[in-house]
Amino acid sequence: ARTRCSGRTELCDQVLNDEWVSVPSGSEDYSYTHYRKNQYEESLFKCEDDRFELDMLIEANASACRLMEPLLDGEHPDHASGAGKRAPATKQQVNASQIRAVQYKAIERVYGDHGQEIVGHIKRAPRVALQVVLPRLKQKDEEWRKARRDMNKIWREVYKDNYYKSLDHRSFYFKQVDKKGLSAKSFVLEARAAQEQALTGATPSPFLTFAMGRMDIHQDILDVASKGAAAELFETAEARVRKFFTSFLHVFLGLCPRSEEELRAKARGMARKGARKAEERKERGITLRTRKVDRTAKEE
């Protein structure tokens, strides 16, 4: 025979599942994970756990308050005496059997180590005990709801700071691969392998060559970096980022070739700028020496 839960209500019979059973398939080893969460996902998961625990705490406490109030007022929670009427408040009508395990658990949570003792008092003298317990539960309900309002501000900032970063769920693996591939030892081994292939005739050149099939992706990177610099840094940062990309990085990667005349003009401009700075430093040194000579003459 199927055991029936004693705390079921009419709504529970309508919505709860009594037919299907969830059976896990595959390994039940808890050390196995489908993927490793990054630090931003961990922050979001922890935030969700805290919110769930606090919501369950508040709702369980509120459920206990809703059940106890009719008992103290003299109205049976399930069978009221007439439509919209309450029976007279007498000691015989306070029936502690109407309090379920969920409500007892909420009371034990509020009173901590003395929870079992308070539950025993409720079962022995329900009216006297509930007159003390109910105000205490309402007080904790106000405290926890105020704490939830305060915590919502903190949780909102956590979501704001971590949500978009958490979408990069493979960042941990990419960082591992990049750290290994960008080390000095990896570069040396890669260059040595290219040289050995050139000596054996497998490749025509001992230098490392890389094919860039898509040129437009570098323009997209430039746009993203420029917008990020303008939004997060200062006003002139976008111009400096664009100058670095267009004058150095794109030229270095061969995306923006320069003519020999342009390079010579840039070299002449840099030479003139260096000569101008040298003259300014020289004039500044002459001025300082002149001032020193004048001061010495005055002192004599």
Side-chain angles (χ1 to χ4, degrees):
R2 182 180 300 172
T3 304
R4 182 175 177 81
C5 177
S6 60
R8 284 285 186 91
T9 63
E10 184 178 353
L11 178 62
C12 294
D13 294 332
Q14 295 176 1
V15 300
L16 295 182
N17 169 46
D18 290 325
E19 301 296 333
W20 297 95
V21 179
S22 176
V23 180
S25 60
S27 175
E28 296 185 9
D29 185 9
Y30 291 101
S31 63
Y32 172 77
T33 54
H34 293 286
Y35 68 94
R36 181 173 179 176
K37 295 189 289 289
N38 57 37
Q39 57 180 343
Y40 310 109
E41 287 180 296
E42 291 287 354
S43 300
L44 294 182
F45 272 78
K46 185 178 183 303
C47 187
E48 286 292 336
D49 290 341
D50 294 341
R51 291 186 64 183
F52 174 78
E53 291 295 335
L54 187 55
D55 288 343
M56 292 295 295
L57 190 66
I58 292 174
E59 291 303 322
N61 189 69
S63 174
C65 293
R66 287 193 299 267
L67 182 65
M68 293 177 185
E69 284 179 348
L71 292 177
L72 286 179
D73 291 342
E75 180 184 357
H76 195 283
D78 296 328
H79 306 286
S81 60
K85 297 181 180 180
R86 293 183 177 181
T90 58
K91 295 183 180 179
Q92 289 77 11
Q93 289 176 332
V94 179
N95 186 5
S97 63
Q98 300 298 324
I99 303 177
R100 308 298 182 186
V102 176
Q103 286 76 32
Y104 281 131
K105 189 67 176 178
I107 295 171
E108 292 177 4
R109 189 181 294 109
V110 170
Y111 283 92
D113 296 336
H114 301 284
Q116 291 291 339
E117 182 181 353
I118 298 299
V119 170
H121 290 318
I122 293 175
K123 293 180 178 179
R124 286 193 299 269
R127 176 166 291 278
V128 177
L130 290 181
Q131 289 178 352
V132 178
V133 172
L134 183 58
R136 176 63 174 165
L137 294 183
K138 290 183 177 180
Q139 178 188 0
K140 295 301 293 184
D141 182 72
E142 295 177 359
E143 292 178 3
W144 288 336
R145 290 183 186 275
K146 182 179 182 301
R148 183 169 64 178
R149 288 193 298 269
D150 296 337
M151 290 299 296
N152 280 334
K153 301 176 183 178
I154 301 176
W155 290 330
R156 190 178 300 113
E157 293 297 325
V158 172
Y159 286 126
K160 181 180 178 181
D161 295 338
N162 295 278
Y163 173 71
Y164 288 107
K165 296 178 181 178
S166 68
L167 299 179
D168 187 11
H169 61 278
R170 292 185 59 84
S171 61
F172 176 78
Y173 302 101
F174 284 130
K175 288 180 180 179
Q176 279 189 334
V177 174
D178 289 345
K179 184 177 180 180
K180 182 179 179 180
L182 297 177
S183 63
K185 182 179 180 181
S186 177
F187 283 143
V188 172
L189 293 176
E190 191 173 1
R192 186 177 299 170
Q195 186 177 14
E196 291 176 355
Q197 291 180 359
L199 293 175
T200 57
T203 56
S205 174
F207 301 104
L208 295 174
T209 57
F210 302 95
M212 290 187 293
R214 293 187 56 186
M215 300 296 182
D216 56 337
I217 192 172
H218 295 279
Q219 184 62 37
D220 296 338
I221 295 173
L222 170 60
D223 295 338
V224 172
S226 300
K227 296 298 182 183
E232 300 293 336
L233 300 177
F234 43 88
E235 296 180 357
T236 60
E238 182 177 3
R240 295 178 61 181
V241 169
R242 286 190 172 275
K243 182 180 179 181
F244 171 76
F245 270 81
T246 55
S247 63
F248 172 72
L249 189 60
H250 286 181
V251 177
F252 178 77
L253 296 176
L255 302 175
C256 181
R258 289 184 176 180
S259 62
E260 186 176 353
E261 292 76 8
E262 184 180 357
L263 295 176
R264 289 179 179 177
K266 186 174 180 62
R268 288 194 297 268
M270 293 179 65
R272 287 195 298 268
K273 186 176 180 181
R276 192 182 308 113
K277 288 184 177 181
E279 292 178 359
E280 291 177 357
R281 287 195 298 268
K282 185 177 180 181
E283 292 177 359
R284 193 180 301 112
I286 294 175
T287 304
L288 292 176
R289 286 196 298 270
T290 305
R291 291 179 179 177
K292 186 176 181 180
V293 171
D294 293 342
R295 190 182 300 110
T296 304
K298 289 179 180 179
E299 290 177 356
E300 293 177 355

